[in-house]
Amino acid sequence: MKSRRGVLAASATVSAAALAGCASRLPGVGAGDDDDVPTTTTKQFDDSDTYVGMVYATGGLGDDSFNDMANRGIKRSRVEYGVEYKNEVPASPDEMQDLQSGYAASSNPDFDLAVCVGFLQTDPLKQTAKAHDDQRFMLIDSVVDRDNVANYVFKEHEGSFLVGHLSALLSTREFAAGAGRTNPDATTVGFVGGIESGLIKKFEAGFRAGVDQVDEPVDVQTTYVGAFDDVEGGKEAAAKMYDDGADVVYHAAGGTGLGVFQAAQERGRFAMGVDSDQSESDPRYANVIPASMVKRVDTAVFQAVGNVVDGAFQGGSVNSLGLAENGVELVYGSSLGGEIPGDVVDAVAASREGIVNGDISVPTTPEGN
């Protein structure tokens, strides 16, 4: 693909100093062989047709979850499309607009697409996309209504419903596998969220609705840690839930969720993964992960990049991916999945079918349960 623009927009709304600061953080586009640790050294660009700039969520790479799924998508794009890419991880949300603008202002290389990972990028991108209306952007997990932004959102509540149903079914019976076992004296499950927001509330809402799918009463404990990179906070939150009787804890907390798995191992209970199959992405915890709610962020990134490569960028679109679109899914754990009783697997499969065919309506807010 040749350059998408002949001349950069005037960028009157972005100060020269800010752009200079961004440029200093754009060392170039490598092949990503550094396994996605942002560099600070200048690299020479290869003769590639397509360049993609990645701005990740604040949880950072190595979260074995949301960011790593996005990274998997751009790596696949490199292999199948020959694109080159640059990774940037903001230290805080305050850096997001500078990183977005840095990609838009760059002319060496001329980035064909800037991928903004996570809902916290929404407000910065509203300004950046307006200031750089000749730059193509992709936004994951939110919507910016501009012709130069392709938006990808997911029906996290649908996948989380299946996790809630599975968790409740396990909690209402004596079940032991790997390093975990349920507590026969309690029917309790838990949910640990990262930053309390409308998006993460969708995970909680679906989870609660799935729990309610069982006939027996099951208590649901909920805690929001307030960050996506607080492993110790996740561990403390989950440990308290286990100590209070929880058999299974589901997290929607990015890197914070690693602490949930640690607590599950220490307490001999179970934890559900999110975004990727976390029994595979971090096998250290496979012996306590019965299943994960996989969110195909990698597919979304690959699709968006492919559209740019094909000259079919979907600016102004909102792509909503749920169970029917294979955008979310419950995936049983690599170690414990085979231990799940058959009647439980069948019941969860029936719930999936009910959601897809419209017989089960899943709420998007906890209050909707």
Side-chain angles (χ1 to χ4, degrees), residues 155-163 206 322-325 328 355 362:
K155 300 175 184 177
E156 298 90 354
H157 51 299
E158 293 184 352
S160 296
F161 183 101
L162 303 183
V163 174
L323 287 172
E325 299 81 15
V328 297
I355 294 170
V362 185

Side-chain angles (χ1 to χ4, degrees), residues 25-29 38-39 52-54 84-88 103 111:
R25 297 199 55 182
L26 291 170
V29 179
T39 64
V52 179
M54 303 288 296
E84 293 191 66
Y85 66 92
K86 173 70 181 75
N87 288 331
E88 286 286 1
Y103 286 136
F111 285 94

Side-chain angles (χ1 to χ4, degrees), residues 71 79 109 247 302 319 341 361:
N71 184 242
V79 172
D247 294 307
F302 180 73
N319 303 276
S361 178

Side-chain angles (χ1 to χ4, degrees), residues 321-333:
L321 307 176
L323 287 172
E325 299 81 15
N326 296 315
V328 297
E329 192 59 85
L330 182 137
V331 175
Y332 289 100

Side-chain angles (χ1 to χ4, degrees), residues 3 22 38 57 60 77 118 142 166 174 213 236 238 264 267 296 308 327:
S3 174
C22 293
S77 299
S142 190
L166 173 60
E174 291 190 31
Q213 190 76 356
E236 291 176 1
R267 297 302 196 270
R296 302 293 183 188
V308 171

Side-chain angles (χ1 to χ4, degrees), residues 97-356:
Q97 188 175 359
D98 280 351
L99 295 176
Q100 295 167 2
S101 298
Y103 286 136
S106 173
S107 59
N108 181 25
D110 188 357
F111 285 94
D112 299 284
L113 180 69
V115 176
C116 304
V117 182
F119 70 92
L120 291 177
Q121 307 230 24
T122 308
D123 288 340
L125 186 56
K126 288 178 181 178
Q127 301 178 54
T128 308
K130 182 178 180 180
H132 299 277
D133 58 4
D134 60 343
Q135 170 69 56
R136 300 182 187 93
F137 294 94
M138 174 199 187
L139 177 60
I140 298 173
D141 268 356
S142 190
V143 175
V144 168
D145 186 15
R146 294 198 65 85
D147 290 341
N148 58 334
V149 181
N151 304 280
Y152 285 79
V153 295
F154 296 82
K155 300 175 184 177
E156 298 90 354
H157 51 299
E158 293 184 352
S160 296
F161 183 101
L162 303 183
V163 174
H165 193 191
L166 173 60
S167 298
L169 287 169
L170 293 180
S171 184
T172 55
R173 66 180 63 202
E174 291 190 31
F175 174 70
R181 66 177 53 250
T182 58
N183 179 358
D185 298 325
T187 52
T188 303
V189 297
F191 174 82
V192 173
I195 294 175
E196 189 168 358
S197 63
L199 174 67
I200 306 303
K201 288 285 189 180
K202 286 172 65 181
F203 289 87
E204 180 191 349
F207 180 72
R208 286 181 174 275
V211 170
D212 290 343
Q213 190 76 356
V214 301
D215 294 331
E216 298 180 45
V218 177
D219 293 330
V220 180
Q221 302 178 21
T222 299
T223 297
Y224 283 83
V225 176
F228 293 115
D229 57 357
D230 185 357
V231 176
E232 189 59 35
K235 183 177 180 179
E236 291 176 1
K240 185 177 187 308
M241 291 179 178
Y242 293 127
D243 290 344
D244 290 341
D247 294 307
V248 185
V249 174
Y250 173 45
H251 85 90
T256 297
L258 297 179
V260 175
F261 300 142
Q262 292 171 6
Q265 284 184 329
E266 290 184 4
R267 297 302 196 270
R269 299 292 182 227
F270 299 106
M272 299 291 187
V274 77
D275 293 332
S276 68
D277 178 356
Q278 295 199 276
S279 71
E280 290 281 359
S281 62
D282 199 334
R284 294 176 298 173
Y285 307 112
N287 62 357
V288 293
I289 302 177
S292 296
M293 199 287 281
V294 174
K295 184 171 165 179
R296 302 293 183 188
V297 176
D298 56 337
T299 300
V301 171
F302 180 73
Q303 183 183 111
V305 174
N307 288 340
V308 171
V309 171
D310 292 339
F313 174 69
Q314 297 181 349
S317 66
V318 179
N319 303 276
S320 183
L321 307 176
L323 287 172
E325 299 81 15
N326 296 315
V328 297
E329 192 59 85
L330 182 137
V331 175
Y332 289 100
S334 59
S335 178
L336 303 187
E339 302 295 321
I340 307 297
D343 63 320
V344 171
V345 173
D346 290 343
V348 174
S351 286
R352 185 192 189 283
E353 182 178 356
I355 294 170
V356 171

